[in-house]
Amino acid sequence: MQNYALTWTDPTGTPQASAVAYDKPSVDRRKAALEAAGCSDVEIVPAKPGQLPEPRG
């Protein structure tokens, strides 16, 4: 199973990254929720077991 994570910029301009990995349906729902909350640059990235993305600087 492929896992996914998210990176985004919160409404205050702070870069963020997922602390957990998601399956495809879950990451799509989380992306929509982040966008609805006013976050920008929301990006879905593939994640490997034990590895999650760093917030974009």
Coordinates of all heavy atoms in Angstrom, one line a residue:
M1 N 0.8 -1.2 0.0 CA 0.0 0.0 0.0 C 0.9 1.2 0.0 O 1.9 1.3 0.8 CB -0.9 0.0 1.2 CG -1.7 1.3 1.4 SD -2.9 1.3 2.7 CE -1.9 1.5 4.2
Q2 N 0.6 2.2 -0.8 CA 1.3 3.5 -0.9 C 0.8 4.4 0.2 O -0.4 4.5 0.5 CB 1.1 4.1 -2.3 CG 1.7 5.5 -2.4 CD 3.2 5.5 -2.3 OE1 3.8 4.8 -3.1 NE2 3.7 6.3 -1.4
N3 N 1.7 5.0 0.9 CA 1.3 6.0 1.9 C 1.7 7.4 1.4 O 2.5 7.6 0.6 CB 2.1 5.7 3.2 CG 1.7 4.5 3.9 OD1 0.5 4.3 4.1 ND2 2.7 3.6 4.2
Y4 N 0.9 8.4 2.0 CA 1.1 9.8 1.5 C 1.2 10.7 2.8 O 0.7 10.3 3.8 CB -0.1 10.2 0.7 CG -0.3 9.4 -0.6 CD1 -1.1 8.3 -0.5 CD2 0.4 9.7 -1.7 CE1 -1.2 7.5 -1.7 CE2 0.3 8.9 -2.9 CZ -0.5 7.8 -2.8 OH -0.7 7.0 -3.9
A5 N 1.8 11.8 2.6 CA 1.9 12.8 3.6 C 1.5 14.2 2.9 O 1.3 14.2 1.7 CB 3.3 12.9 4.2
L6 N 1.5 15.2 3.7 CA 1.1 16.5 3.2 C 2.2 17.6 3.7 O 2.7 17.5 4.8 CB -0.2 17.0 3.7 CG -1.4 16.2 3.2 CD1 -2.6 16.3 4.2 CD2 -1.8 16.7 1.9
T7 N 2.4 18.5 2.8 CA 3.1 19.8 3.3 C 2.2 20.9 2.9 O 1.4 20.8 2.0 CB 4.5 19.9 2.5 OG1 4.3 20.0 1.1 CG2 5.4 18.8 2.9
W8 N 2.2 22.0 3.7 CA 1.4 23.1 3.4 C 1.9 24.3 4.2 O 2.8 24.2 5.0 CB -0.1 22.9 3.8 CG -0.3 22.7 5.3 CD1 -0.6 23.7 6.2 CD2 -0.1 21.5 6.1 NE1 -0.7 23.2 7.5 CE2 -0.4 21.8 7.5 CE3 0.2 20.2 5.8 CZ2 -0.4 20.9 8.5 CZ3 0.3 19.3 6.9 CH2 0.0 19.6 8.2
T9 N 1.4 25.5 3.9 CA 1.6 26.7 4.6 C 0.4 27.1 5.3 O -0.7 27.2 4.7 CB 2.1 27.8 3.6 OG1 3.2 27.4 2.9 CG2 2.4 29.1 4.4
D10 N 0.5 27.3 6.6 CA -0.7 27.6 7.4 C -1.1 29.1 7.2 O -0.4 29.8 6.6 CB -0.6 27.3 8.9 CG 0.4 28.1 9.7 OD1 0.7 29.3 9.2 OD2 0.8 27.7 10.7
P11 N -2.3 29.5 7.6 CA -2.8 30.9 7.4 C -1.8 32.0 7.9 O -1.9 33.1 7.4 CB -4.1 30.9 8.0 CG -4.6 29.5 8.0 CD -3.3 28.7 8.2
T12 N -1.0 31.6 8.9 CA 0.0 32.7 9.4 C 1.3 32.7 8.6 O 2.1 33.5 8.9 CB 0.3 32.4 10.9 OG1 1.0 31.2 11.0 CG2 -1.0 32.3 11.7
G13 N 1.4 31.8 7.6 CA 2.6 31.8 6.8 C 3.7 30.8 7.2 O 4.8 30.8 6.7
T14 N 3.4 30.0 8.2 CA 4.3 29.0 8.7 C 4.3 27.7 7.9 O 3.2 27.1 7.8 CB 4.0 28.8 10.2 OG1 4.0 30.0 10.9 CG2 5.1 27.8 10.8
P15 N 5.4 27.2 7.4 CA 5.4 26.0 6.7 C 5.1 24.8 7.7 O 5.6 24.8 8.8 CB 6.8 25.9 6.1 CG 7.4 27.2 6.2 CD 6.7 27.9 7.3
Q16 N 4.3 23.9 7.2 CA 4.0 22.7 8.1 C 4.1 21.4 7.3 O 4.2 21.4 6.0 CB 2.5 22.8 8.5 CG 2.1 24.1 9.2 CD 2.7 24.1 10.7 OE1 2.9 23.0 11.3 NE2 2.9 25.3 11.2
A17 N 4.2 20.3 8.0 CA 4.2 19.0 7.3 C 3.5 18.0 8.2 O 3.4 18.1 9.4 CB 5.7 18.5 7.1
S18 N 2.9 16.9 7.6 CA 2.2 15.9 8.3 C 3.1 15.2 9.3 O 4.3 15.0 9.1 CB 1.8 14.8 7.3 OG 0.9 15.3 6.3
A19 N 2.5 14.8 10.4 CA 3.1 14.1 11.5 C 2.8 12.6 11.3 O 3.3 11.7 12.1 CB 2.8 14.6 12.8
V20 N 1.9 12.3 10.4 CA 1.4 10.9 10.2 C 1.3 10.7 8.7 O 1.3 11.6 7.9 CB 0.0 10.6 10.8 CG1 0.1 10.8 12.3 CG2 -1.0 11.6 10.2
A21 N 1.3 9.4 8.3 CA 1.1 9.0 6.9 C -0.4 8.6 6.7 O -1.0 8.2 7.6 CB 2.0 7.9 6.5
Y22 N -0.9 8.9 5.5 CA -2.3 8.6 5.2 C -2.4 7.7 4.0 O -1.4 7.6 3.1 CB -3.0 9.9 4.7 CG -3.0 11.0 5.8 CD1 -2.0 11.9 5.8 CD2 -4.0 11.0 6.7 CE1 -2.1 13.0 6.8 CE2 -4.1 12.0 7.6 CZ -3.1 13.0 7.7 OH -3.2 14.0 8.6
D23 N -3.5 6.9 3.8 CA -3.8 6.3 2.6 C -4.4 7.3 1.6 O -4.6 8.4 2.0 CB -4.7 5.1 2.8 CG -6.1 5.4 3.4 OD1 -6.4 6.6 3.4 OD2 -6.8 4.5 3.8
K24 N -4.6 6.9 0.4 CA -5.1 7.9 -0.6 C -6.4 8.6 -0.3 O -6.5 9.8 -0.3 CB -5.1 7.2 -2.0 CG -5.4 8.2 -3.1 CD -4.4 9.3 -3.3 CE -4.7 10.1 -4.5 NZ -4.2 11.5 -4.4
P25 N -7.5 7.8 0.1 CA -8.7 8.5 0.4 C -8.6 9.5 1.6 O -9.1 10.6 1.6 CB -9.7 7.4 0.7 CG -9.1 6.2 0.0 CD -7.6 6.4 0.1
S26 N -7.8 9.1 2.6 CA -7.6 9.9 3.8 C -6.8 11.2 3.5 O -7.2 12.3 4.0 CB -7.0 9.1 4.9 OG -7.8 8.0 5.3
V27 N -5.8 11.0 2.7 CA -5.0 12.2 2.4 C -5.8 13.2 1.5 O -5.6 14.4 1.7 CB -3.6 11.8 1.7 CG1 -3.7 11.5 0.2 CG2 -2.6 12.9 1.9
D28 N -6.6 12.7 0.7 CA -7.5 13.6 -0.1 C -8.4 14.4 0.8 O -8.6 15.6 0.6 CB -8.3 12.8 -1.2 CG -7.4 12.3 -2.3 OD1 -6.3 12.9 -2.5 OD2 -7.8 11.3 -3.0
R29 N -9.0 13.7 1.8 CA -9.9 14.4 2.7 C -9.2 15.4 3.5 O -9.6 16.5 3.8 CB -10.6 13.4 3.6 CG -11.7 12.6 2.9 CD -12.6 11.8 3.9 NE -11.8 10.9 4.7 CZ -11.6 9.6 4.3 NH1 -12.1 9.1 3.2 NH2 -10.9 8.8 5.1
R30 N -8.0 15.1 4.0 CA -7.2 16.0 4.8 C -6.7 17.2 4.0 O -6.8 18.3 4.5 CB -5.9 15.2 5.4 CG -5.1 16.1 6.3 CD -5.8 16.5 7.6 NE -4.9 17.2 8.4 CZ -5.2 18.3 9.1 NH1 -6.4 18.8 9.0 NH2 -4.3 18.9 9.8
K31 N -6.4 17.0 2.7 CA -6.0 18.1 1.9 C -7.2 19.1 1.7 O -7.0 20.3 1.9 CB -5.6 17.6 0.5 CG -5.2 18.8 -0.4 CD -4.8 18.3 -1.8 CE -4.4 19.5 -2.6 NZ -4.3 19.2 -4.0
A32 N -8.4 18.6 1.5 CA -9.6 19.4 1.4 C -9.8 20.2 2.7 O -10.2 21.4 2.6 CB -10.8 18.6 1.0
A33 N -9.6 19.5 3.8 CA -9.9 20.2 5.1 C -8.9 21.3 5.3 O -9.2 22.4 5.8 CB -9.8 19.2 6.2
L34 N -7.6 21.1 5.0 CA -6.6 22.1 5.1 C -6.9 23.3 4.2 O -6.8 24.5 4.7 CB -5.2 21.6 4.8 CG -4.6 20.6 5.8 CD1 -3.4 19.9 5.3 CD2 -4.2 21.4 7.1
E35 N -7.3 23.1 3.0 CA -7.6 24.2 2.1 C -8.8 24.9 2.6 O -8.9 26.2 2.5 CB -7.8 23.6 0.7 CG -6.5 23.1 0.0 CD -6.7 22.4 -1.3 OE1 -7.8 21.8 -1.5 OE2 -5.7 22.3 -2.0
A36 N -9.8 24.2 3.1 CA -11.0 24.9 3.6 C -10.7 25.7 4.9 O -11.3 26.7 5.1 CB -12.1 23.8 4.0
A37 N -9.6 25.4 5.6 CA -9.2 26.1 6.8 C -8.3 27.3 6.4 O -7.8 28.0 7.3 CB -8.4 25.2 7.7
G38 N -8.1 27.6 5.1 CA -7.3 28.7 4.7 C -5.8 28.5 4.5 O -5.1 29.4 4.3
C39 N -5.4 27.2 4.5 CA -4.0 26.9 4.2 C -3.7 27.0 2.8 O -4.6 26.7 1.9 CB -3.7 25.5 4.8 SG -3.9 25.3 6.6
S40 N -2.5 27.3 2.4 CA -2.1 27.4 1.0 C -0.9 26.4 0.7 O -0.4 25.8 1.6 CB -1.6 28.8 0.7 OG -0.5 29.2 1.5
D41 N -0.7 26.3 -0.6 CA 0.4 25.4 -1.1 C 0.3 24.0 -0.5 O 1.3 23.4 -0.2 CB 1.8 26.0 -0.7 CG 2.0 27.4 -1.3 OD1 1.6 27.6 -2.4 OD2 2.6 28.2 -0.6
V42 N -0.9 23.5 -0.4 CA -1.1 22.1 0.1 C -0.7 21.2 -0.9 O -1.2 21.2 -2.1 CB -2.6 21.9 0.5 CG1 -2.8 20.5 1.1 CG2 -3.1 23.0 1.5
E43 N 0.3 20.3 -0.6 CA 0.8 19.3 -1.6 C 0.8 17.9 -1.0 O 1.3 17.7 0.2 CB 2.2 19.8 -1.9 CG 2.9 18.9 -3.0 CD 4.3 19.4 -3.4 OE1 4.6 20.5 -3.1 OE2 5.0 18.5 -3.9
I44 N 0.4 17.0 -1.7 CA 0.4 15.6 -1.4 C 1.7 15.0 -1.8 O 2.1 15.2 -3.0 CB -0.8 14.8 -2.0 CG1 -2.1 15.3 -1.4 CG2 -0.6 13.3 -1.7 CD1 -3.3 14.7 -2.1
V45 N 2.5 14.4 -0.9 CA 3.8 13.8 -1.3 C 3.8 12.3 -0.9 O 3.2 12.0 0.2 CB 4.9 14.6 -0.6 CG1 5.0 16.0 -1.2 CG2 4.8 14.6 0.9
P46 N 4.4 11.5 -1.7 CA 4.5 10.0 -1.3 C 5.4 9.9 0.0 O 6.3 10.7 0.1 CB 5.3 9.4 -2.5 CG 5.1 10.3 -3.6 CD 4.9 11.7 -3.0
A47 N 5.0 9.0 0.8 CA 5.8 8.8 2.1 C 6.2 7.3 2.2 O 5.4 6.4 1.8 CB 4.9 9.2 3.3
K48 N 7.3 7.1 2.7 CA 7.8 5.7 2.9 C 7.7 5.4 4.4 O 7.7 6.3 5.2 CB 9.3 5.6 2.4 CG 9.4 5.8 1.0 CD 10.9 5.6 0.6 CE 11.0 5.8 -1.0 NZ 12.3 5.7 -1.4
P49 N 7.5 4.2 4.7 CA 7.4 3.8 6.2 C 8.6 4.4 7.0 O 9.8 4.3 6.6 CB 7.5 2.3 6.2 CG 7.0 1.9 4.8 CD 7.5 3.0 3.9
G50 N 8.3 5.1 8.0 CA 9.2 5.7 8.9 C 9.8 7.0 8.4 O 10.7 7.6 9.1
Q51 N 9.4 7.5 7.3 CA 9.9 8.7 6.7 C 8.8 9.7 6.4 O 7.9 9.3 5.6 CB 10.7 8.5 5.5 CG 12.0 7.7 5.7 CD 12.8 7.5 4.4 OE1 12.3 7.7 3.3 NE2 14.0 7.0 4.6
L52 N 8.8 10.9 6.9 CA 7.8 11.9 6.6 C 8.5 13.1 6.1 O 9.7 13.3 6.4 CB 6.9 12.2 7.9 CG 6.0 11.0 8.3 CD1 5.5 11.3 9.7 CD2 4.9 10.8 7.3
P53 N 7.8 14.0 5.4 CA 8.5 15.2 4.8 C 8.7 16.2 5.9 O 8.1 16.3 6.9 CB 7.5 15.7 3.8 CG 6.1 15.2 4.3 CD 6.4 13.9 5.0
E54 N 9.7 17.0 5.6 CA 10.0 18.2 6.4 C 9.2 19.4 5.9 O 8.9 19.4 4.7 CB 11.5 18.6 6.3 CG 12.4 17.5 7.0 CD 12.3 17.5 8.5 OE1 12.1 18.5 9.1 OE2 12.3 16.4 9.0
P55 N 8.8 20.3 6.7 CA 8.1 21.5 6.2 C 9.0 22.2 5.2 O 10.2 22.3 5.4 CB 7.9 22.4 7.4 CG 8.0 21.4 8.6 CD 9.0 20.3 8.2
R56 N 8.4 22.7 4.1 CA 9.1 23.5 3.2 C 9.6 24.8 3.8 O 8.8 25.5 4.5 CB 8.3 23.8 1.9 CG 8.0 22.5 1.1 CD 7.1 22.8 0.0 NE 5.8 22.7 0.5 CZ 4.7 23.2 -0.1 NH1 4.8 23.8 -1.2 NH2 3.5 23.1 0.4
G57 N 10.8 25.1 3.6 CA 11.4 26.3 4.2 C 11.1 27.6 3.5 O 11.2 28.6 3.8

